[in-house]
Amino acid sequence: MCSSDLENPRTGQRGAVTIVFDTVSDLQLGEQIAIDFPGGFDLSVAGVDPATRTPSGSDPRRAAESSGQTLLLEMAAAETKGRYEIVLSDVGNPRTADGPMNIGLRTRRADGQVIDADDAQPLRLSLIGIGKMRVDSVVVQPAHVGAVAAVRLRFRTATALGASDEIVLEFPPGFGTGNAQLARVATPSGVLPALRADSLSGMLILDLAEREEAGDFVLELDRVILPEAAQRDARIVVYSRSSTGALVDQPADNPPGIAVVGQLLLRPGAVLEDALGGLAGVGG
């Protein structure tokens, strides 16, 4: 039985790749498993994860001659024929999912001579396109111009996110977020992220401290300053991105809007004129 699986299957993400296969020949110390990835995968920092399993129990190591789309794993001990479960860490997915996503897999001696050739049925990796955020509700209290307000958002991610990935909140022009504080947050993992403000862009960024499966987030912010002018349908744009800046879940198409209302203020000593001249209730 052979299988291959991407921990994070979205285009542009990074994560672990698990490959399960059986060999029909023994391997000696220093012989290699060659894994050929499709174009677009980034293997520059890929390594062997401790979750890897081999017949001997000894994890192979990445060979120095690995290059391009081919990752060479060198045996750290003699291996009998049998089941391998190779887990590769920090593999980068292509930016697009175009073309076949087949993996080439063979064993070879150190001089490159093939021992077990590719199976006639190639392993395939399945990529999916960029996800889309869903924003269920946005509540602002108080909602009048110039107020120092609390903002409550409920949204749902479509894609799992890794520790150090980010959720970005882009507020409309005129909103002040530089002093915003995180009053309450609920995440799928239950682990609290950190909030920081980007002074250049005015965005608020949630830095995730733990892997988060796709799911519901509830976010309550204090000390958001509302604009000085009324706005009828202001919208907060929410999306997620990887630690390298690649988009993971794009913004929702039509998130709920915010109404920032005007406020009637009377200056001290101001008097409202009696437009009726004291004749209240006079009919025509």
Side-chain angles (χ1 to χ4, degrees), residues 5-212:
D5 180 66
L6 289 164
E7 176 189 29
N8 294 322
R10 296 279 185 194
T11 54
Q13 285 191 294
R14 302 192 73 88
V17 177
T18 301
I19 305 171
V20 180
F21 60 93
D22 298 319
T23 61
V24 296
S25 303
D26 298 339
L27 293 174
Q28 302 303 312
L29 175 68
E31 293 182 335
Q32 298 172 335
I33 298 170
I35 307 173
D36 298 320
F37 277 78
F41 279 87
D42 177 13
L43 308 176
S44 58
V45 293
V48 179
D49 190 270
T52 291
R53 300 288 181 266
T54 66
S56 74
S58 296
D59 290 352
R61 50 183 172 262
R62 176 174 174 149
E65 59 266 36
S66 298
S67 64
Q69 301 307 116
T70 300
L71 196 62
L72 299 175
L73 304 182
E74 188 175 284
M75 298 301 102
E79 300 285 356
T80 60
K81 62 184 179 182
R83 172 64 51 86
Y84 289 74
E85 183 174 335
I86 302 295
V87 182
L88 303 174
S89 61
D90 211 2
V91 174
N93 296 344
R95 298 289 182 182
T96 62
D98 299 331
M101 292 290 161
N102 296 340
I103 291 180
L105 187 65
R106 61 194 181 282
T107 59
R108 56 178 238 174
R109 296 190 171 89
D111 62 4
Q113 182 180 354
V114 173
I115 301 171
D116 289 348
D118 282 343
D119 194 286
Q121 291 294 112
L123 293 171
R124 297 180 185 274
L125 294 172
S126 297
L127 286 173
I128 53 181
I130 293 174
K132 185 170 289 187
M133 195 75 69
R134 190 185 80 199
V135 180
D136 293 321
S137 64
V138 181
V139 178
V140 178
Q141 289 290 339
H144 62 77
V145 294
V148 179
V151 178
R152 186 177 191 272
L153 300 98
R154 181 183 292 274
F155 57 88
R156 183 176 180 84
T157 58
T159 307
L161 295 166
S164 76
D165 286 349
E166 300 171 339
I167 295 174
V168 180
L169 310 174
E170 289 187 0
F171 280 74
F175 281 71
T177 58
N179 294 318
Q181 296 179 342
L182 196 57
R184 175 177 172 263
V185 63
T187 68
S189 73
V191 178
L192 299 182
L195 179 72
R196 61 184 170 91
D198 186 321
S199 58
L200 294 178
S201 65
M203 297 185 301
L204 291 179
I205 300 170
L206 287 177
D207 289 317
L208 300 181
E210 185 60 73
R211 175 179 169 84
E212 299 288 355

Side-chain angles (χ1 to χ4, degrees), residues 142-149 225-231 259-265:
H144 62 77
V145 294
V148 179
I225 301 175
L226 301 190
E228 294 296 332
Q231 297 187 22
V260 179
V261 298
Q263 185 178 32
L264 180 63
L265 297 175

